Amino acid sequence: IAKLFDEDFWVRNDEVRKKYVCDVCGYVYDPAQGDPDSGIAPGTPFESIPADWTCPICGVTKDEFSPMA
């Protein structure tokens, strides 16, 4: 029950659930699935992906992604 009152717990859960979409090709990064082909484990928030990660479809960098509404 203590976790219900832990603000960090909720922030981390929101990060894990937040999806990002590639502005170029529309690929959706879903943290629940990760990107295993690129070595990104399921449960990895977008913010924790290495800076040199690229879109598995079109190859653009992380700065070409936007949070999904």
Side-chain angles (χ1 to χ4, degrees):
I1 286 194
K3 283 187 177 182
L4 295 176
F5 299 102
D6 180 359
E7 184 175 330
D8 289 337
F9 172 79
W10 292 108
V11 169
R12 285 190 305 271
N13 277 344
D14 285 344
E15 289 174 359
V16 171
R17 288 192 301 256
K18 188 187 300 183
K19 297 178 184 178
Y20 281 74
V21 63
C22 177
D23 297 330
V24 175
C25 73
Y27 168 80
V28 175
Y29 175 77
D30 182 348
Q33 296 177 357
D35 182 12
D37 292 340
S38 297
I40 308 300
T44 303
F46 187 80
E47 293 82 0
S48 297
I49 295 174
D52 62 352
W53 177 82
T54 59
C55 176
I57 304 299
C58 70
V60 298
T61 58
K62 282 178 62 175
D63 61 343
E64 297 289 335
F65 279 72
S66 300
M68 289 186 76

